[in-house]
Amino acid sequence: MNTPAPTRGTWGRVEFYTSFFLLAVLATVIGMRLGFESVWRLPTLDLDLSVVALVLVLASFWLARHSRRWRLAIIAFASATQLVPMVVREPVLLLPLLGALVPVGILVGCLVALSKKGPSARPPQGS
């Protein structure tokens, strides 16, 4: 399978591979949640949203491979379908989610730093 090479340089590559990794993680999480549905019953709205989100995430590997806007929109939608219904039913869950923003912010900062890092002048030393 040929994956298209990003055309925007370093940040384009970082964003491209990061977004596909996020899509893979989302597909795994949503798939596991749906797999355990027979053990722990999901409310109908959650089940319907999860099925739609899983279909979109799986389709995005093909449909959104050239469009950053579509990849990010699908990631945002799939994440929201998993988080919003839980927080609406149990508002106390918002506190750990807000705490989880700290490592996410650190990750985003690292990705931005990596994207701005230029090529080094000398090759790395062997060990």
Side-chain angles (χ1 to χ4, degrees):
M1 178 174 151
N2 267 343
T3 56
T7 59
R8 290 197 177 185
T10 306
W11 176 248
R13 277 197 312 254
V14 169
E15 183 275 329
F16 181 80
Y17 292 112
T18 302
S19 64
F20 274 101
F21 178 75
L22 281 172
L23 287 168
V25 169
L26 276 170
T28 303
V29 168
I30 296 170
M32 287 176 58
R33 188 169 183 214
L34 289 173
F36 281 113
E37 198 276 331
S38 63
V39 178
W40 296 289
R41 291 286 176 203
L42 287 173
T44 305
L45 179 63
D46 289 14
L47 181 64
D48 294 342
L49 286 174
S50 293
V51 168
V52 170
L54 183 62
V55 168
L56 276 174
V57 167
L58 293 176
S60 70
F61 286 105
W62 176 255
L63 298 175
R65 68 185 186 275
H66 296 295
S67 173
R68 174 189 300 170
R69 177 178 291 150
W70 277 102
R71 281 193 308 271
L72 295 178
I74 290 171
I75 289 169
F77 175 76
S79 300
T81 62
Q82 303 306 301
L83 296 175
V84 171
M86 288 189 314
V87 171
V88 167
R89 279 189 205 88
E90 296 289 335
V92 73
L93 292 175
L94 188 59
L95 295 174
L97 289 174
L98 289 175
L101 284 178
V102 172
V104 169
I106 292 169
L107 174 68
V108 168
C110 291
L111 289 174
V112 169
L114 277 173
S115 71
K116 293 182 179 186
K117 182 181 176 188
S120 61
R122 59 176 218 221
Q125 298 289 335
S127 53

